[in-house]
Amino acid sequence: MANVLNPFVVELASRRGGNQVLQCYQCGTCSGSCPVIEEMQYGPRRILHMIQSGEEERVLSSRDMWFCVSCYSCTNRCPREIPITELMATLRELAVEKGYARDLEADFGQSFAETYKHYGRLFELELMLRYYLRTFDLKGLLGMIPLAPPMVLKGKLPFIPEKVQEPAQLEALCPEPPKAAVPETQAQRKRRWLPWLASGVTLLLGAGVSSALWRSSARRAKEARR
Amino acid sequence: MTYGYYPGCSLLSSAKEYDLSLRLTFARLGIELVELEDWNCCGAVHGEGQGVIGLPARNLALAEAQGLDTLIAPCSGCYHNLRRASKAVETDKATRQRVNAGLAEGLQLKGNIRVLHPLYVLLQEYGLERLKAQVTRPLTGMKVAPYYGCMLTRPRDEFDSPERPAGLDELLMALGAEVVDYPFKAKCCGGAVAISHSAVTAKLTGKVLDSAKEAGAEMVTLACPMCHTALDLYQSKAERAVGHDLDVPVLYFTQLLGLALGIAASQLGFKRHIVSPLPQLARLGF
């Protein structure tokens, strides 16, 4: 058996969800169950076939795993019990590690991980700042802007982060994966000042909005007293 | 009945009403929740590498150190991650050793913490008959579509069916509501890619809400803050995706439970919803 294994299959075997890829017999239940199959280039069935054939570059540069919504429909129905959802997550990781990742979702995942490592808990405002500063995705930002005021007014977007006592403790639990051969464009995009700027803008924005809110509520209280 | 409680990040921000109503209703039922101290983010679907098990495992270790044998996780994502970590640590010695090596001093994980979702605590540990006896204000005439999402029941699970789940249906029936059945009740809302591919989320959410509305639902109930963000906050986007108005309020199951237990609507956080449920509730006399 060993002589038919390609290097990609061998590499995946030691990663999350990757040790059963050879079990796939191409029934297509996964692609038939996938709610985002329309967004995908190949779909999980063909991805598995491409893995079996060792087409590492085509798999890792595809957009499919970035559209996976982690719904576990495929995993749940797979007659060969391949954990396809976990495999998709591993493909995302590998695409980042090997410098193939170009999708916005890759940037979102990175911003998310940076934020929870910073505080030990999620801080949505900083996550958004990190993400939009990293991607400059103006189209996405414009779509998000109308949602922000209701979120702020309904108290769904706190301005002060929740923290664990020692966020540094988390570093040992999720060590940075090795990043081999990251192309230059990606290396340039890593900006050390980003977290500082994000925190600064967060603070200013938080102070501004909360003082505005406080003033308006104080004014309303004053008027009510009159 | 005493359980450890792991709120998760969303319940402190976008889903505060879930936290609020869960604490209120469980207190009313006499179920004590002890919040886990110093809990950390479970990594959601963006955990990477060893953190996928490591991050939730720290919470399990904290629970062991704090003398808790069960953790209730109200967010389906946290619930899924904590359970996956608990299982991995329990069954795989190498994982257990690696996690323990990464944990801070004084924390040690043996791996016998039960992770439960509050819905199945009510159904299987508290019991529906006992719950029914506590209902003082049945939700008669309320047409509710239960929405399960993904990680509450998938992958395969000992609590409910991943294809045709019934837990929320049973609870709603016990509360006296009229349960609306519809084909999309266990389909994905797309919440995982809500920021990066928001058009996909809008499309999937639109299908779910449209299907529920078509089946005659006045409101949707669910058990996950991520789904709530998609169905409630993104509803305006979903309306654009399906091409017509939806206007379906989306409530947490604990909020409906609270109403049925006779807790005042003003205490259950209905003002925090983007699509206000207040007109519908007023019509039904709440």
Side-chain angles (χ1 to χ4, degrees), chain B residues 36-106:
Chain B
L36 185 67
E37 279 169 40
D38 203 38
W39 56 268
N40 61 272
C41 173
C42 71
V45 287
H46 306 287
E48 45 180 31
Q50 296 176 16
V52 174
I53 303 296
L55 287 172
R58 178 175 176 271
N59 295 306
L60 300 173
L62 286 172
E64 273 186 25
Q66 292 166 27
L68 304 166
D69 60 353
T70 321
L71 271 188
I72 288 187
C75 165
S76 301
C78 305
Y79 168 65
H80 169 80
N81 282 354
L82 288 168
R83 273 206 315 173
R84 179 171 58 190
S86 162
K87 207 169 153 196
V89 168
E90 204 179 296
T91 52
D92 185 31
K93 204 177 158 197
T95 307
R96 184 162 62 235
Q97 282 169 344
R98 203 183 54 227
V99 166
N100 276 324
L103 284 172
E105 233 169 280

Side-chain angles (χ1 to χ4, degrees), chain A residues 71 76-77 105 120 124 165, chain B residues 13 38 41 154 156 163 196:
Chain A
C71 73
N76 181 53
R77 290 179 179 170
E105 179 59 21
E124 287 86 348
Q165 282 159 22
Chain B
S13 55
D38 203 38
C41 173
R154 281 192 295 266
R156 290 177 197 92
E163 298 287 346
S196 56

Side-chain angles (χ1 to χ4, degrees), chain B residues 214-246:
Chain B
E214 204 143 286
E218 292 176 313
M219 43 184 107
V220 169
T221 191
L222 41 64
C224 167
M226 209 51 237
C227 304
H228 191 270
T229 301
L231 268 59
D232 188 42
L233 181 65
Y234 274 52
Q235 199 169 121
S236 51
K237 286 176 183 288
E239 285 175 341
R240 253 167 278 146
V242 296
H244 56 83
D245 277 2
L246 290 164

